[in-house]
Amino acid sequence: MAEANILVLHDQFSCPVCLELLKDPVTIPCGHSYCMECIKNCWDQTDHTGVYSCPQCRETFTPRPVLRRNTMLAEVVEKLKKTGLNPPPAQSYAGPGDVPCDFCTGRKFKAVKSCLTCLASYCETHVKPHSDVTPLKRHKLVNAIGNLEQKLCAEHQKVFEVFCRTDQTCICLLCSQIEHRSHDTVSAETERTGKQKQLGETQTEIQQRIQERLKDVEELKQAVESLKRSACIEIKESEKIFTELIRSIEKTHTEVTELIGANVKVAVNQTEGLMKKLEQEIAELKRRHAELNQLSETEDHIHFLQNFQSLCAPPEAGDLPSVTVNTDISFASVKKAVSELKDHIEDFCKGELVKITTTVNETAVYTLGSRSSDRCLKVNEVAVYSLQAPEPRNRAEFLKYSCQLTLDPNTAHRNLCLSEGNRKVTRRGETQRCRDNPERFDSRSQVLCREGLSGIRCYWEIECSGRGADIGVTYKGISRKGVDHSSLLGCNDKSWSLSCSDSSYTAWNNNNQIAITAPHSPRIGVYLDFNAGTLSFYGVSDTMTLLHRFQTTFTEPLYPGFFVYSKSTVTICQLN
């Protein structure tokens, strides 16, 4: 009884903030008392609002009340301290998540024991009778637990002591003698022993799985580090090889330039020499022509006859042959040869790039497969672990995930014409008459599919003819109106696309673009692994050539869609 009085007194003179006996007690206008430092700290935190409230009754004060020490209350607290009326030090008040004592009045202490006979929980003080009173000593005490009423049979108000194996439920003794009389029943303790063994086996199996997975994680970390190191080495080696290749091409370029220059120099020197000889011959001929002209004009017949024979002799042919000038001189054949060399190198590089791409794509950090330890762990028939299927490696494996797609006429722009059961779309020059629809693109030559894809793996193939198209996926919330980026596939954070023209590829997302160097393919494969957050585009031929892969986290169903270029057609291929 004295201890109970101690608890009441302590509760009355404790600070509601720090829960300790009042220190420098102050009483605020509403009548509640606090440690001066506690209430000062509380109000300091709301000083910027200019409104101050009582932590208990929430009454507000403006302006901030002046705090003065309550002298009378301070003297009472000091007397309490001197008389030793402090609570038992081992106890603490029940907080969130604690089980409160059922026998404490006012503010409750934390319970330390629960009695399965009394169906009540006790603090250190109130549990003592169970140790001192003989009848109570026979009660079963356990560490404090909450919701004791759940241990009670609703029909007979008796404690559960028996387990019915037939119905897999806990029952009381009366239930075992009446409703469950013909059932297989055992004591709760017996059933617990068997379940405990099963639980231990499951724990062991889970712990083994944890160790295996920790080992897998460590191996994956090492593999990733090894991959990074290997990639760095290969990139450096590739840079070295490509640098040498570039130098070789530059050397060839220099040699061709020097060859043309040397050829021009020789030709110019030879031509200049020939021109000099021709000019000398012209000068000689001019001299003789002047002498003949002078002889022709002389009036001295004797002089004319004496010099005629020597001057009128036909001019010598000279050492120079006849000259035929090439008026269409150029190095066009050299340009053609260099152009053919360029085309040959480009074709060769494209072919080799396909091989390199395949080799790079086949470099995997890990593979997923079945093994005896990779079966599902089950607890009460509920699976708690499963393996994900590995990534497809060839077209036959991709086709396992093929899905049927159809175009949605309600979304098609007015210059797009759908055909072949809404699996083909053609862009025409004229605008068609269509009824207004909020889902229709009014400015972009785009169309979406009806099907929203989420939570699964899907694969489809597209054929483009004409100038090309943008192939992509989008959330349903993409804008349908206007010409800004919010309505164009790949130019916002709601869509991803691959631009396919007859000469190049470009990947787009959120208006960011990545140019792609790859051989042209008339058929494009699209593979979506929604849960893994990957969207991959492949060039489909004898082999699957990865063009680009987006890696993200998809949060909504995705709708395949197309932006069709002028005078172009897009067809969703029939894969089944």
Side-chain angles (χ1 to χ4, degrees):
M1 189 66 179
E3 287 181 347
N5 291 333
I6 292 173
L7 297 178
V8 172
L9 286 171
H10 183 275
D11 196 44
Q12 289 176 341
F13 295 101
S14 61
C15 174
V17 177
C18 67
L19 306 180
E20 301 292 339
L21 281 174
L22 291 164
K23 300 173 185 176
D24 294 329
V26 294
T27 303
I28 62 178
C30 63
H32 290 109
S33 299
Y34 300 90
C35 298
M36 180 178 288
E37 191 63 26
C38 291
I39 192 64
K40 181 178 179 296
N41 291 337
C42 285
W43 286 352
D44 285 347
Q45 295 174 14
T46 60
D47 222 358
H48 64 284
T49 65
V51 179
Y52 309 91
S53 62
C54 173
Q56 284 186 277
C57 67
R58 299 299 178 186
E59 183 177 344
T60 58
F61 316 106
T62 305
R64 178 171 176 166
V66 178
L67 298 177
R68 290 188 176 88
R69 189 168 183 265
N70 189 323
T71 307
M72 183 180 295
L73 191 56
E75 291 176 356
V76 173
V77 173
E78 286 301 318
K79 288 181 180 180
L80 283 174
K81 290 180 180 179
K82 290 177 181 178
T83 54
L85 298 182
N86 288 319
Q91 299 204 88
S92 59
Y93 290 109
D98 293 330
V99 178
C101 174
D102 292 322
F103 281 78
C104 285
T105 58
R107 191 171 183 195
K108 297 180 178 294
F109 283 108
K110 182 170 69 174
V112 294
K113 294 289 182 181
S114 294
C115 178
L116 298 181
T117 306
C118 302
L119 290 180
S121 298
Y122 304 93
C123 64
E124 288 282 3
T125 301
H126 293 116
V127 79
K128 287 183 177 179
H130 279 74
S131 302
D132 302 335
V133 180
T134 301
L136 297 180
K137 290 180 180 179
R138 293 191 289 269
H139 291 190
K140 185 172 183 179
L141 294 176
V142 295
N143 290 332
I145 55 176
N147 300 322
L148 286 172
E149 63 276 3
Q150 294 182 3
K151 313 294 188 295
L152 203 65
C153 174
E155 184 176 354
H156 302 111
Q157 296 301 305
K158 298 289 185 181
V159 178
F160 289 140
E161 299 181 72
V162 181
F163 184 81
C164 178
R165 289 176 172 172
T166 305
D167 294 337
Q168 290 292 300
T169 186
C170 295
I171 58 176
C172 69
L173 283 172
L174 284 177
C175 289
S176 67
Q177 296 170 7
I178 304 174
E179 293 93 338
H180 298 260
R181 181 172 52 190
S182 60
H183 292 183
D184 181 11
T185 59
V186 294
S187 68
E189 185 177 358
T190 301
E191 184 65 18
R192 163 67 184 273
T193 302
K195 295 288 187 184
Q196 188 74 35
K197 182 180 179 182
Q198 182 181 346
L199 179 64
E201 293 173 353
T202 304
Q203 285 179 306
T204 301
E205 191 171 359
I206 290 176
Q207 189 62 35
Q208 183 180 356
R209 177 61 56 81
I210 290 172
Q211 295 304 317
E212 290 175 356
R213 289 317 187 207
L214 287 173
K215 182 180 178 182
D216 289 341
V217 169
E218 186 59 34
E219 290 177 352
L220 283 171
K221 287 181 180 178
Q222 294 176 4
V224 167
E225 291 302 318
S226 175
L227 179 69
K228 289 180 179 178
R229 289 193 298 270
S230 176
C232 288
I233 294 172
E234 294 305 320
I235 289 173
K236 289 180 180 179
E237 291 298 319
S238 298
E239 287 178 351
K240 187 185 298 183
I241 293 170
F242 277 108
T243 300
E244 292 174 357
L245 177 60
I246 292 170
R247 285 176 181 170
S248 177
I249 293 174
E250 289 177 343
K251 181 180 179 183
T252 303
H253 175 215
T254 301
E255 289 175 352
V256 170
T257 302
E258 291 176 349
L259 177 63
I260 294 173
N263 186 277
V264 169
K265 185 176 182 181
V266 170
V268 168
N269 289 338
Q270 290 176 347
T271 303
E272 288 178 346
L274 178 60
M275 289 170 60
K276 185 174 182 181
K277 290 180 179 180
L278 289 173
E279 287 172 351
Q280 290 174 352
E281 183 175 344
I282 291 170
E284 178 63 23
L285 289 172
K286 284 183 176 180
R287 184 187 62 78
R288 288 196 59 187
H289 181 271
E291 290 178 350
L292 289 173
N293 189 51
Q294 184 179 7
L295 182 64
S296 173
E297 294 177 352
T298 184
E299 295 179 356
D300 186 347
H301 305 301
I302 300 301
H303 176 74
F304 177 87
L305 293 174
Q306 289 177 338
N307 291 283
F308 174 81
Q309 190 67 31
S310 59
L311 292 179
C312 287
E316 297 179 359
D319 297 332
L320 294 177
S322 62
V323 178
T324 302
V325 179
N326 182 7
T327 59
D328 193 27
I329 187 169
S330 74
F331 284 94
S333 58
V334 177
K335 177 182 176 182
K336 181 180 178 183
V338 173
S339 180
E340 289 175 353
L341 174 62
K342 167 182 168 291
D343 294 340
H344 177 72
I345 292 175
E346 286 182 347
D347 292 340
F348 178 78
C349 287
K350 287 179 180 178
E352 291 302 309
L353 181 62
V354 173
K355 297 179 184 178
I356 293 171
T357 302
T358 303
T359 303
V360 171
N361 290 341
E362 289 176 351
T363 304
V365 176
Y366 64 90
T367 56
L368 295 176
S370 299
R371 58 184 182 184
S372 59
S373 61
D374 279 339
R375 63 184 178 84
C376 289
L377 283 176
K378 293 187 177 181
V379 178
N380 295 333
E381 302 302 316
V382 178
V384 296
Y385 179 79
S386 62
L387 283 176
Q388 188 179 21
E391 187 87 2
R393 301 293 295 275
N394 52 55
R395 187 165 182 263
E397 292 183 2
F398 278 107
L399 290 176
K400 294 178 183 178
Y401 300 100
S402 62
C403 60
Q404 299 293 331
L405 299 177
T406 54
L407 301 169
D408 186 355
N410 291 330
T411 66
H413 186 269
R414 287 182 171 83
N415 64 7
L416 298 181
C417 179
L418 307 188
S419 59
E420 295 186 9
N422 292 337
R423 298 180 63 84
K424 181 177 180 180
V425 55
T426 303
R427 180 171 172 179
R428 295 181 173 178
E430 67 274 10
T431 300
Q432 303 177 88
R433 288 187 176 182
C434 301
R435 63 183 181 87
D436 291 335
N437 193 303
E439 296 185 358
R440 190 181 308 284
F441 290 99
D442 67 351
S443 300
R444 303 291 188 181
S445 299
Q446 296 181 157
V447 60
L448 302 184
C449 291
R450 295 180 184 272
E451 295 77 13
L453 310 175
S454 65
I456 55 176
R457 293 180 170 192
C458 300
Y459 177 76
W460 60 97
E461 291 180 354
I462 304 299
E463 285 188 349
C464 299
S465 61
R467 294 181 178 177
D470 293 354
I471 302 170
V473 297
T474 179
Y475 294 148
K476 195 170 185 178
I478 189 173
S479 176
R480 312 302 171 94
K481 312 301 177 185
V483 294
D484 61 5
H485 291 163
S486 63
S487 63
L488 186 59
L489 282 176
C491 289
N492 47 71
D493 59 1
K494 293 182 173 61
S495 59
W496 299 258
S497 71
L498 180 75
S499 295
C500 307
S501 68
D502 55 1
S503 60
S504 64
Y505 297 105
T506 307
W508 289 85
N509 172 242
N510 206 14
N511 207 32
N512 294 319
Q513 59 176 315
I514 300 175
I516 299 166
T517 302
H520 175 70
S521 175
R523 179 175 286 208
I524 301 297
V526 186
Y527 175 66
L528 169 67
D529 189 337
F530 189 93
N531 293 333
T534 59
L535 176 67
S536 308
F537 295 89
Y538 291 86
V540 180
S541 57
D542 294 335
T543 58
M544 300 290 287
T545 303
L546 178 64
L547 301 175
H548 187 73
R549 175 178 288 126
F550 291 104
Q551 181 70 59
T552 185
T553 300
F554 298 119
T555 59
E556 302 175 30
L558 294 167
Y559 291 81
F562 312 98
F563 178 95
V564 187
Y565 297 176
S566 176
K567 300 179 181 179
S568 300
T569 297
V570 173
T571 303
I572 302 174
C573 302
Q574 188 76 38
L575 299 181
N576 295 332

